[in-house]
Amino acid sequence: MYVQQLEPVADSLGLSALVATLPLLTVLVLLGAVRMKAHRAGLIGLAVAVLVAWLAYGMPFGQTASSAAQGAVFGLFPILWIVVNALWVYRMTVRTRHFDILRRSFGRLSDDPRIQALVVAFCFGALLEALAGFGAPVAISAVMLVALGFEPVRAAVVALVANTAPVAFGAMGTPVVTLAQVTGLPLDTVATVVGRQTPLLALVVPLLLVVLVDGRRGLRETWVPALACGFAFAVAQFAASNFVSAQLADIGAALAGAGALMAVPHARRPAAEPVRAAVLTGARSDDLDQDDPRPEVLRAYAPYALIVAVFSLAQIPAVKDVLANATRTFDWPFLNIADPSGDPVGGNVFSLPLVSTGGTLVLLAGVGTAAVIGVHARVAVREWAATVHELRFAILTVTSVLALAYVMNLSGQAATIGHYVAAAGAGLAFLSPVLGWFGVAVTGSDTSANALFGALQVTAAQQSGLSPELLAAANSSGGVLGKMISPQNLTIACAAVGLAGKEGDLLRKVLPWSLGLLLVMCLIVVGQSTAVLGWMLP
């Protein structure tokens, strides 16, 4: 048995914490300063984590390698299993041109560019985040906005800022699932607390979007539909994450936000020509006025309806129990670890939810999608393989980062850092979202940031007397605000709208919004750690 140590380096917590941060510092420097590709930085960071665990912490090399393997397997299944299948569904809709039909349908909902920004970037972007995440919502939303006539920089900024409120529950709840896994906290508990933080962002973001599109005039003239959209989104996200399912939180919120937006009469009024002239300064797609047959429009919406239906069925207690029976739980090979107090750690056991996991449910919906939109089985398989090829570097990045996180957690490195950071005391409540924000800004993924810092947040909370659930949730909620400034997302946005090489310009435009919203989230978490907003927590 390997027993974790808190002070393996010279019996000093400070020196041990300094050594334990080397894997994280390596990744951050390689990504931020050297600007190395994320998959290479992740692999080098993993190598450093293995060396620290083996040489500084005295973890047997076999158990160190086994820890990394468990993290990589978890990265592949269920995390990347969700992403691959969700993007596979999207690729099939592009191949059959049903995605173009969907885009034209959105354009006909309203000719007001401010409302279009809410429909495409906030509501549809949230739906894409729910299904796939990992940059897909920014790229797809930005392309759709440019096709509607938005100037490329404005389209990119709107898409980036909109991709905030849904991120914590994106990719079928992958970030919170990962957070629960690495912290050992119950998924329902983590999702419940996150669901009482990020909905507050949803109230603000639609108002910011209409300001970004049309300045003060946009806020003055469209604050009612923007507020209605944000309020409905927030209520649905709160309700789903607290009482239904973390996997369905963003799907329900996106649909509720879109429904509320379209229910406001003001949202359907034609926009004044000066507004359209001032905002729609880009080249408008030539096919926007094309009429599509109603059956084809229904088929364009069918993939998303099928996903909602499949996930809803999976939440029925009887069905949920049947699916859960396929879960396999077993002792992870070559792993026998105890925490500093001598109790076995949860990582010794591994659960494999073969059918009930989100990726398998999306796969089932994808099979139905192929049948509904007319994709031959052979073509569908080729598209799936092409999706895996397209994501090959993302797959390497996610698996290496999660392997690194598991090595740090199981060797005791994260616990050492957590005990050291706990010296901040009550100040942790303010710093906790900042740590998540920093992690996402560097890695581009709330999932990766939760894997890196989740266990650290819980350890620090336990040492300082704060709620572990609150700080773990704050890591994810603060992290969503770093998404818009991450090099990965900036590059995706620029590439999507034809602004390659202009990432710096885009960063300067979105950074103030990222920092402003981060401050709001820090104050929310501080309030929730005291009697001021403590009543908000379960």
Side-chain angles (χ1 to χ4, degrees):
M1 176 180 284
Y2 167 70
V3 181
Q4 296 173 347
Q5 303 176 65
L6 292 177
E7 303 176 356
V9 181
D11 292 326
S12 167
L13 185 61
L15 288 176
S16 300
L18 182 63
V19 172
T21 59
L22 288 178
L24 292 178
L25 289 175
T26 299
V27 174
L28 300 182
V29 170
L30 291 178
L31 284 175
V34 181
R35 298 188 178 182
M36 183 180 288
K37 296 291 186 182
H39 63 280
R40 293 176 182 168
L43 289 172
I44 293 173
L46 171 60
V48 174
V50 168
L51 289 174
V52 170
W54 183 35
L55 299 177
Y57 278 74
M59 189 180 196
F61 186 78
Q63 296 214 49
T64 304
S66 183
S67 301
Q70 185 179 145
V73 169
F74 181 69
L76 290 171
F77 191 96
I79 292 178
L80 288 165
W81 182 235
I82 297 172
V83 177
V84 167
N85 289 324
L87 287 179
W88 170 58
V89 173
Y90 163 70
R91 283 181 66 98
M92 287 193 292
T93 66
V94 171
R95 183 181 184 91
T96 60
R97 298 192 177 279
H98 284 94
F99 180 74
D100 292 333
I101 296 173
L102 188 68
R103 173 172 54 81
R104 288 192 290 269
S105 175
F106 285 165
R108 286 191 288 269
L109 290 176
S110 173
D111 72 344
D112 189 325
R114 300 162 300 191
I115 303 301
Q116 290 175 345
L118 295 175
V119 172
V120 173
F122 188 71
C123 298
F124 186 60
L127 185 60
L128 292 172
E129 183 66 38
L131 304 180
F134 292 89
V138 170
I140 296 169
S141 297
V143 167
M144 292 181 74
L145 290 174
V146 170
L148 290 170
F150 280 67
E151 188 267 331
V153 172
R154 181 175 285 158
V157 170
V158 167
L160 285 166
V161 174
N163 190 222
T164 48
V167 168
F169 296 102
M172 297 302 176
T174 298
V176 291
V177 170
T178 303
L179 186 60
Q181 180 78 13
V182 301
T183 59
L185 298 172
L187 173 59
D188 290 345
T189 303
V190 173
T192 294
V193 180
V194 174
R196 300 180 187 215
Q197 294 172 343
T198 56
L200 299 176
L201 293 176
L203 295 173
V204 178
V205 171
L207 298 172
L208 291 183
L209 294 180
V210 297
V211 170
L212 289 171
V213 171
D214 195 29
R216 293 182 180 178
R217 176 178 59 186
L219 182 62
R220 185 174 63 251
E221 296 181 358
T222 58
W223 69 268
V224 173
L227 192 59
C229 177
F231 182 77
F233 186 103
V235 170
Q237 190 183 62
F238 162 76
S241 61
N242 276 258
F243 307 113
V244 183
S245 164
Q247 287 86 350
L248 291 175
D250 278 348
I251 294 178
L255 296 177
L261 183 62
M262 290 298 99
V264 177
H266 185 74
R268 305 301 297 270
R269 296 175 191 164
E273 192 54 41
V275 172
R276 292 179 53 79
V279 176
L280 301 181
T281 55
R284 189 169 177 266
S285 179
D286 294 334
D287 68 350
L288 283 178
D289 296 326
Q290 177 180 331
D291 288 329
D292 298 302
R294 182 174 293 275
E296 290 303 306
V297 174
L298 293 176
R299 292 171 75 191
Y301 282 91
Y304 308 101
L306 280 171
I307 290 175
V308 172
V310 169
F311 271 82
S312 299
L313 285 173
Q315 299 308 311
I316 297 173
V319 177
K320 196 172 185 177
D321 291 340
V322 171
L323 297 179
N325 288 335
T327 298
R328 295 290 176 265
T329 301
F330 54 90
D331 293 332
W332 188 259
F334 310 112
L335 212 58
N336 187 12
I337 300 174
D339 62 24
S341 62
D343 298 321
V345 300
N348 293 331
V349 179
F350 190 79
S351 293
L352 201 61
L354 297 173
V355 181
S356 60
T357 186
T360 303
L361 298 178
V362 174
L363 178 66
L364 294 174
V367 172
T369 293
V372 170
I373 65 177
V375 178
H376 191 276
R378 191 182 306 109
V379 176
V381 171
R382 281 203 302 264
E383 286 295 329
W384 193 91
T387 304
V388 173
H389 183 265
E390 179 185 338
L391 291 173
R392 61 192 183 281
F393 293 121
I395 291 171
L396 194 54
T397 300
V398 171
T399 52
S400 62
V401 168
L402 278 158
L404 179 156
Y406 269 60
V407 170
M408 289 190 66
N409 292 341
L410 294 177
S411 67
Q413 296 172 53
T416 296
I417 299 172
H419 278 76
Y420 185 75
V421 172
L428 272 176
F430 186 88
L431 295 175
S432 188
V434 177
L435 191 59
W437 173 85
F438 185 68
V440 176
V442 172
T443 66
S445 164
D446 200 39
T447 297
S448 297
N450 285 343
L452 287 173
F453 298 134
L456 185 155
Q457 298 267 22
V458 168
T459 303
Q462 291 169 340
Q463 293 300 307
S464 61
L466 292 171
S467 165
E469 294 81 5
L470 174 62
L471 294 201
N475 191 84
S476 191
S477 298
V480 307
L481 301 170
K483 197 88 183 268
M484 69 178 82
I485 64 166
S486 70
Q488 172 183 306
N489 258 25
L490 290 170
T491 301
I492 289 172
C494 285
V497 299
L499 294 174
K502 300 291 185 182
E503 289 85 357
D505 296 338
L506 208 53
L507 174 62
R508 285 190 289 273
K509 289 183 178 294
V510 298
L511 181 59
W513 299 109
S514 178
L515 292 174
L517 290 172
L518 175 62
L519 177 59
V520 172
M521 182 54 65
C522 289
L523 295 175
I524 290 171
V525 175
V526 169
Q528 291 179 334
S529 70
T530 66
V532 177
L533 295 179
W535 53 268
M536 293 179 62
L537 299 181

